C-alpha cells in the first residue's frame, strides 16, 4: 500500500473522461483505501465517490471555444483553483480534456511558485495525452514545465515525448478499452444480410455535418446492394431527436451499447476519433470521415500536422481505414470506399490482420491499475 491520507482533485470534461476518471478512482482506492476525492466531472465520477463542485461534462468543447464559452470555462477554472487552494490536495489529475486541464495545471503551478508560504505543492498528473503529436506540438514543452507525470494510452506517445520533451515523465499504461470490452466468440456475428453501422458522433455539430454525407452514402450503397441493412448508434437519448432523418431513411437507431452493435457489424462508416479504436478492437473494417470548418482552417494553417486523423492509421503508419476529410468527405467517395470493403474479401482480411496487430500493441488489460501504481510512485 502506497500510504494513507491522500487527497485527489480530479477534472474530467467529457463523458468518456468521466468514465475513465471513475475507473481510475477505484484503482486509486486500492492504493489508498482512505483517500478523498473531489473536483469536477459527471455522474460516473459522483457514483465512484468523487465530491463534485459542478458537472463539468455539461461544458465539453470541441475546437476553439467561443468568447462566451471561454469566459465561462475561465470562471469554472477559477472556482476549482480556489477550491484547490482551500483544500490543498496532494495530487491534481486532469483526465483527458487537454485544453482545459493543461491551462488549469499551469494555473496551479503558477500559484504554487508565487505563494511558497502556503506550503502547497501538489503532484500534477495528466491521464491521456493531448494530441500534441497531431497539432501544436509546442504544448509538449508546457507539459514538461508543469507536470510530474503524463499517463499515455497509446504506445507511440512515449517515444514521441522522449524526443521532444525529454524532461517530462511519460508512462504508457495501456488502453482502458481493453478492460471494458470483451471480444465476441468466434462465429457469433449474425449472418442475415450485410450490416453497416453509421457512427456520426456524439455532438450536435457532428451530426449536422456528418449525417447528410452518411445517409447519402448509404442510399448509394443500397442502390448497389439492396440487401444492406443500416444501424446508427448514438451515445445518448438527448441527440436521438437529431437523427429523425436517418429513421425516415429506414435506418435503425440504437442508443448506447456500441460493443453489441460492433460484434454484429460487417462495416462501419464513422467519424474519426476514439470510436475508430473500438471498431479496430472488434476487427470491423471501416470508412472514416470528418467535416468541420475549424478543421479545414487548422489544416490550411499547418496547425494540424499529421497525415491522418484516424488512430488505427496513425498507429500502423499507413492507411488501414480509408479516410475522407473536409471536401473529400462526399457521399460518393464514402460509398465507393465502403462498397470496396464490402466486396473485396482479400482486402477485408488484410485490414482485419492489421487491426489485430494494432490492438495487440496496446498491451494487456489493467490500464487503470498501472496508472494508479504510477501515481503512487510519485510518493517515495
Amino acid at each position: 500500500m502506497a500510504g494513507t491520507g491522500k487527497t485527489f482533485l480530479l477534472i474530467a470534461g467529457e463523458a468518456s473522461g468521466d468514465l475513465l476518471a471513475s475507473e481510475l478512482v477505484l484503482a486509486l482506492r486500492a492504493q489508498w483505501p482512505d483517500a478523498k476525492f473531489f473536483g469536477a466531472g459527471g455522474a460516473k465520477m459522483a457514483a465512484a465517490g468523487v465530491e463534485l463542485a459542478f458537472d463539468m461534462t455539461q461544458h465539453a468543447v470541441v475546437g476553439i471555444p467561443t468568447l462566451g464559452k471561454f469566459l465561462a470555462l475561465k470562471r469554472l477554472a477559477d472556482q476549482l483553483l480556489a477550491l484547490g487552494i482551500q483544500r490543498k490536495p496532494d495530487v491534481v489529475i486532469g483526465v483527458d480534456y487537454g485544453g482545459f486541464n493543461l491551462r488549469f495545471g499551469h494555473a496551479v503551478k503558477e500559484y504554487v511558485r508565487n505563494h511558497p508560504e502556503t506550503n502547497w505543492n501538489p503532484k500534477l498528473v495528466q491521464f491521456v495525452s493531448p494530441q500534441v503529436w497531431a497539432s501544436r506540438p509546442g504544448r509538449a514543452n508546457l507539459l514538461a514545465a508543469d507536470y510530474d507525470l503524463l499517463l499515455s494510452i497509446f504506445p507511440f506517445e512515449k517515444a514521441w515525448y522522449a524526443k521532444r520533451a525529454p524532461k517530462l515523465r511519460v508512462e504508457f499504461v495501456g488502453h482502458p478499452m481493453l478492460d471494458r470490452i470483451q471480444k465476441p466468440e468466434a462465429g457469433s456475428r449474425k449472418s442475415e444480410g450485410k450490416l453497416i453501422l453509421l457512427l456520426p458522433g456524439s455532438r450536435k455539430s457532428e451530426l449536422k455535418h456528418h449525417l447528410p454525407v452518411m445517409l447519402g452514402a448509404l442510399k448509394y450503397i443500397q442502390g448497389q446492394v439492396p440487401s444492406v441493412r443500416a444501424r446508427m448508434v448514438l451515445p445518448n437519448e438527448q441527440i436521438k431527436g437529431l437523427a429523425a432523418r436517418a429513421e425516415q431513411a429506414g435506418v435503425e437507431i440504437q442508443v448506447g451499447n456500441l460493443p453489441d452493435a460492433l460484434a454484429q457489424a460487417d462495416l462501419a462508416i464513422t467519424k474519426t476519433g476514439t470510436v475508430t479504436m473500438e471498431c479496430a478492437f472488434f476487427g470491423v473494417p471501416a470508412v472514416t470521415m470528418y467535416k468541420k470548418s475549424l478543421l479545414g482552417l487548422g489544416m490550411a494553417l499547418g496547425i494540424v500536422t499529421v497525415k491522418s486523423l484516424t488512430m488505427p492509421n496513425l498507429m500502423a503508419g499507413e492507411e488501414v481505414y480509408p479516410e475522407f476529410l473536409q471536401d473529400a468527405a462526399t457521399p460518393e467517395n464514402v460509398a465507393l470506399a465502403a462498397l470496396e470493403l464490402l466486396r473485396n474479401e482479400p482486402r477485408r482480411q488484410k485490414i482485419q490482420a492489421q487491426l489485430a496487430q494494432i490492438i495487440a500493441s496496446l498491451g494487456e488489460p489493467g490500464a487503470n491499475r498501472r496508472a494508479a501504481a504510477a501515481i503512487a510512485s510519485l510518493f517515495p
Side-chain angles (χ1 to χ4, degrees):
M1 190 183 302
T4 59
K6 300 299 182 191
T7 302
F8 296 84
L9 165 58
L10 296 99
I11 303 171
E14 296 175 316
S16 58
D18 181 41
L19 172 60
L20 183 54
S22 69
E23 295 168 339
L24 179 61
V25 165
L26 298 180
L28 288 168
R29 279 215 177 90
Q31 297 283 346
W32 292 280
D34 58 349
K36 296 180 180 178
F37 302 90
F38 70 98
K44 287 184 172 58
M45 286 173 62
V50 180
E51 178 188 342
L52 296 184
F54 43 80
D55 185 349
M56 195 71 182
T57 63
Q58 301 301 313
H59 301 276
V61 176
V62 180
I64 302 171
T66 63
L67 177 60
K69 176 65 76 172
F70 177 83
L71 293 174
L73 291 172
K74 178 66 166 59
R75 288 192 292 271
L76 295 177
D78 290 344
Q79 183 179 339
L80 280 174
L81 181 58
L83 190 61
I85 293 169
Q86 175 190 346
R87 299 184 61 168
K88 294 181 173 57
D90 300 283
V91 188
V92 175
I93 305 175
V95 183
D96 210 352
Y97 204 48
F100 182 94
N101 280 327
L102 265 61
R103 286 191 292 270
F104 182 77
H106 182 69
V108 169
K109 280 300 184 185
E110 282 294 288
Y111 179 85
V112 168
R113 291 164 186 149
N114 293 325
H115 298 85
E117 73 281 359
T118 62
N119 197 32
W120 179 48
N121 188 15
K123 303 294 185 183
L124 252 61
V125 178
Q126 175 65 23
F127 191 10
V128 181
S129 169
Q131 293 184 348
V132 292
W133 33 262
S135 66
R136 294 176 288 159
R139 290 179 294 166
N141 297 321
L142 300 178
L143 275 161
D146 295 326
Y147 279 76
D148 298 283
L149 176 64
L150 173 65
L151 299 168
S152 160
I153 65 172
F154 292 113
F156 68 87
E157 291 174 326
K158 186 166 184 174
W160 190 95
Y161 278 102
K163 182 178 179 181
R164 293 164 179 82
K167 293 184 179 179
L168 176 63
R169 179 183 170 190
V170 180
E171 297 293 342
F172 169 59
V173 297
H175 203 293
M177 173 182 67
L178 301 178
D179 292 286
R180 298 175 190 153
I181 307 174
Q182 288 189 343
K183 281 205 170 184
E185 296 180 4
S188 63
R189 286 187 179 174
K190 295 181 179 178
S191 58
E192 64 236 43
K194 298 288 187 181
L195 175 63
I196 296 179
L197 293 189
L198 304 181
L199 307 173
S202 60
R203 299 180 179 89
K204 292 181 180 179
S205 63
E206 290 176 330
L207 266 69
K208 176 184 176 181
H209 288 97
H210 297 160
L211 270 184
V213 177
M214 291 184 175
L215 294 179
L218 177 64
K219 183 177 180 180
Y220 188 105
I221 293 167
Q222 289 178 326
Q224 299 290 314
V225 187
S227 62
V228 161
R229 299 178 297 119
R231 181 183 305 169
M232 181 176 294
V233 183
L234 300 173
N236 55 62
E237 291 283 350
Q238 285 74 17
I239 63 170
K240 184 179 178 181
L242 301 175
R245 289 178 57 188
E247 285 191 290
Q248 293 167 4
V251 178
E252 175 189 348
I253 305 297
Q254 175 179 314
V255 176
N257 201 7
L258 177 58
D260 179 67
L262 286 168
Q264 302 174 42
D266 296 281
L267 179 78
I269 299 175
T270 177
K271 58 159 277 188
T272 59
T274 304
V275 69
T276 61
M277 290 301 296
E278 296 181 79
C279 294
F281 183 85
F282 282 90
V284 177
V287 179
T288 72
M289 57 163 288
Y290 205 85
K291 290 177 76 77
K292 195 170 183 184
S293 56
L294 288 176
L295 171 63
L297 177 62
M299 295 172 71
L301 295 176
I303 296 172
V304 178
T305 57
V306 290
K307 294 181 179 179
S308 174
L309 298 182
T310 300
M311 183 56 71
N313 294 354
L314 288 171
M315 294 182 67
E318 61 180 302
E319 184 181 270
V320 178
Y321 285 162
E323 176 186 81
F324 300 97
L325 304 177
Q326 297 301 94
D327 293 341
T330 66
E332 184 176 6
N333 284 345
V334 171
L336 290 173
L339 285 167
E340 165 69 11
L341 295 185
L342 282 173
R343 292 167 166 168
N344 189 333
E345 188 58 32
R347 186 172 180 195
R348 287 177 61 85
Q349 292 176 359
K350 179 183 177 182
I351 288 173
Q352 288 168 337
Q354 290 172 304
L355 298 177
Q357 291 180 338
I358 289 166
I359 296 303
S361 75
L362 297 177
E364 299 295 325
N368 286 288
R369 174 175 46 79
R370 288 187 288 271
I375 294 169
S377 72
L378 295 173
F379 298 92

